[in-house]
Amino acid sequence: MKEIALRAAREGGRVLLQKFGTTLCIERKGAVDLVTDADREAEETIVGVIRHTFPRHAILAEEADYGEKEGDYRWIIDPLDGTTNYAHAFPWFAVSIALEVEGQVVLGVVYNPAHQELFYAERGKGAFLNDVQIRVSNVATLEESLVVTGFPYDRKHSDANNYDHFVNFQQAAQACRRVGSAALDLAYTAAGRFDGYWEMKLKPWDLAAGKLLVEEAGGRVTDFAGAPCDIFGDEILASNGLIHDPMQTLLARGRRPSSS
């Protein structure tokens, strides 16, 4: 299953690179939520690779409905995480593929085709980048940390828009970034490049693979209050573990989605 996931990610990434920087057909799913023909073609390619070997497995993907299937296996797919970046020819985007078995994510792959970085993790077997094992950072204080986040699509209309948290972390951390791909933010946290990450109002395909990467790299993943992170929930807080509690304390000062 890992080999199929890796192959699917590479094939999806190949499609994205072929279309990157070309004239795209761009549609809007919301005021700032874009979808391109590259999203759809990459998803069809990824699903085709998986369905060829596992035709009975269920698939939950961002762009199309693949119906309900009985059984314990479900693939969770984002063919292009970072569509806005991609549409502007900014090379920060990823393919994200996770496999859920009996309700638990056991395999996660995040592929950054622009930089040829293939992250993957199997539950209980560690996390890897291009076959080299990765670990979260050992930065021990928030003041020395580089943290990262993103903003929800309803940020122009909702009070729970992450602006308050972003300002708080800009003041408390060494630096705070917003780059535009949740999957890569989590993968880079797993690799120790970021020390912590938080975001709200994501979809399961945005974070299922990245969450497992962080956990298998020795990090900690919860919601803003420290409860277990549900990939179908509204919040995720991921860190190297050492700065988790200070991040959680800072997040308690701002607005949560449930209070919007």
Side-chain angles (χ1 to χ4, degrees):
M1 292 182 183
K2 181 185 78 175
E3 294 307 315
I4 294 300
L6 294 175
R7 185 191 311 167
R10 290 190 184 100
E11 287 298 305
R14 179 183 56 80
V15 170
L16 297 180
L17 284 182
Q18 286 176 343
K19 289 183 169 291
F20 183 66
T22 65
T23 301
L24 300 169
C25 177
I26 301 174
E27 301 174 19
R28 292 181 180 272
K29 295 189 286 186
V32 294
D33 190 3
L34 306 181
V35 62
T36 73
D37 50 334
D39 292 72
R40 295 192 174 103
E41 188 174 331
E43 183 171 294
E44 290 172 4
T45 298
I46 292 165
V47 171
V49 171
I50 292 170
R51 280 270 166 93
H52 179 75
T53 306
F54 305 112
R56 293 187 174 88
H57 288 189
I59 290 177
L60 174 64
E62 181 172 11
E63 305 304 340
D65 184 353
Y66 295 91
E68 295 292 329
K69 287 184 177 290
E70 296 182 359
D72 296 329
Y73 296 86
R74 178 167 64 174
W75 296 85
I76 304 173
I77 301 165
D78 191 341
L80 174 49
D81 187 51
T83 299
T84 300
N85 288 346
Y86 186 87
H88 288 269
F90 178 53
W92 184 262
F93 54 89
V95 175
S96 178
I97 301 172
L99 174 62
E100 186 182 60
V101 180
E102 296 181 341
Q104 182 181 54
V105 174
V106 299
L107 172 65
V109 176
V110 174
Y111 181 43
N112 177 349
H115 297 89
Q116 297 294 297
E117 293 185 322
L118 185 60
F119 300 85
Y120 63 90
E122 292 179 90
R123 187 164 296 280
K125 297 183 179 182
F128 297 82
L129 165 56
N130 294 341
D131 297 327
V132 177
Q133 190 163 13
I134 55 176
R135 294 286 298 178
V136 294
S137 75
N138 59 6
V139 174
T141 68
L142 187 55
E143 292 78 10
E144 298 173 297
S145 296
L146 177 62
V147 297
V148 65
T149 191
F151 298 99
Y153 286 122
D154 65 353
R155 63 186 181 272
K156 296 183 180 181
H157 310 289
S158 171
D159 290 336
N161 52 28
N162 202 28
Y163 295 168
D164 50 352
H165 299 304
F166 187 74
V167 171
N168 289 340
F169 276 102
Q170 286 285 16
Q171 295 297 108
Q174 187 173 87
C176 184
R177 301 287 183 254
R178 197 279 186 170
V179 202
S181 168
L184 283 179
D185 292 342
L186 284 162
Y188 272 44
T189 301
R193 298 170 177 177
F194 292 130
D195 305 304
Y197 161 75
W198 83 97
E199 197 163 346
M200 58 174 65
K201 303 180 184 179
L202 293 172
K203 301 297 185 182
W205 46 76
D206 296 317
L207 57 87
K211 175 178 180 288
L212 183 63
L213 281 168
V214 174
E215 291 170 341
E216 287 298 315
R220 182 180 173 191
V221 186
T222 68
D223 69 5
F224 289 2
C229 174
D230 180 357
I231 64 171
F232 291 89
D234 285 330
E235 302 170 346
I236 181 169
L237 167 59
S239 78
N240 62 7
L242 300 173
I243 64 165
H244 205 89
D245 289 344
M247 289 187 72
Q248 186 180 320
T249 298
L250 200 59
L251 287 167
R253 300 179 187 175
R255 185 178 291 272
R256 299 178 67 181
S258 59
S259 63
S260 61

